[in-house]
Amino acid sequence: MFILASTASHASEWDKLRIDGFANLNAAQKLNREELSDNTAINSPEKFDQDVNFIVLSTLGIQLSASLTEKSRLVSQLVGKGDEEHFDIAADWVYYQHEMSPQWSFKFGRMRTPFFLLSEYLDVTYAVPWADMPDEVYDILEPFANYEAADLTYRYELSESTITLQTQYGRLIGDTWDIQETVSFNAQWSDEYWTLRAGIARGSAVILEDNALLSNPAVINANIYEKHHVIENKGYEAMFYSLATHFDDGQWLGIAEWTRLTVEGITVDQDAYYVTLGRRWGNWTPHLTYGDAKSQDDKIRRRNNIARRIDVDLYRWAIGVRWDFESGTALKAQYEEFINQKPSDDERVRTVIVGINAVF
């Protein structure tokens, strides 16, 4: 922030500094008293309670971009996010970007992890149809939404479409895991209506000392944990795969995304996906979403009833509507139902979200 302020104060013209922002002001409520069992993969339903909460899904962000030269700039993004009681403000992005040519660009610093189709809009929900991002896909890596890395991007313009290739190297530090030496590669093709995307990432996951796994009763059972070396302080191979498509012709809207996360040992290996279909009528966009998340390595935890509690078999359906009632501002309403089938059958949580999303 000091560098950006200094750059602005010495600039001969104000147009060297660009200020953008976004706001998500949401009210969320859980409509029933039932709660999901402990589940490390899907957390959003447990953010809500029976009382209307105006903080938990509300976000305010300010982005500053300072042009150093015609080809270089510094970017910083401050984001305030709500939890059950208050807002926390953090610098999500602080990076340097250089355009080496019309095709090649380089970024270095703290930036958004590029693992998802909509990674850049993780907080800017004005850019998506939903009131909240799809939980089954986006929740599992939410602690690693940003990371310190170097990014090299290549864009090639075809006659009526664009190919984008990205590669990154960096480090992700979450609440309980430190994923080191992370290497990722993403390829995307897009034209006027369609976007197709594929990605892969690999890292070495190390358990932090305050990891909840180390105090979990299941960890004490050495029969399963010693076999898979989860309690040793070493790196475990973590792999992430993604496939996605996006269609928008101005009338019909379709989004589909699939992800797979695998980590050595007891940690849940999970497949997840969602499919959204929407249609615009003027300023109104109703939409319908179905999502699913399942653990793929349940046999590893089968010998231990406590460890089996982190198995995942959950699906979600949601119906919502977006109303763009003025430029840069949209009113959204969304009803969704989570159905959890592990460890017990058909636990259900119903939630409703109403809010205003804006960019400025």
Side-chain angles (χ1 to χ4, degrees), residues 104-137:
W104 291 94
S105 64
F106 172 76
K107 291 192 292 187
F108 181 85
R110 180 171 175 82
M111 64 195 79
R112 177 74 77 215
T113 49
F115 300 146
F116 303 104
L117 172 69
L118 302 170
S119 289
E120 294 292 324
Y121 311 116
L122 191 61
D123 295 322
V124 190
T125 50
Y126 174 83
V128 299
W130 318 287
D132 190 22
M133 301 297 283
D135 302 282
E136 51 284 334
V137 167

Side-chain angles (χ1 to χ4, degrees), residues 45-58:
E46 297 312 301
K47 297 177 183 178
F48 309 149
D49 53 34
Q50 280 75 39
D51 297 325
V52 178
N53 191 310
F54 290 89
I55 299 178
V56 69
L57 288 183
S58 294

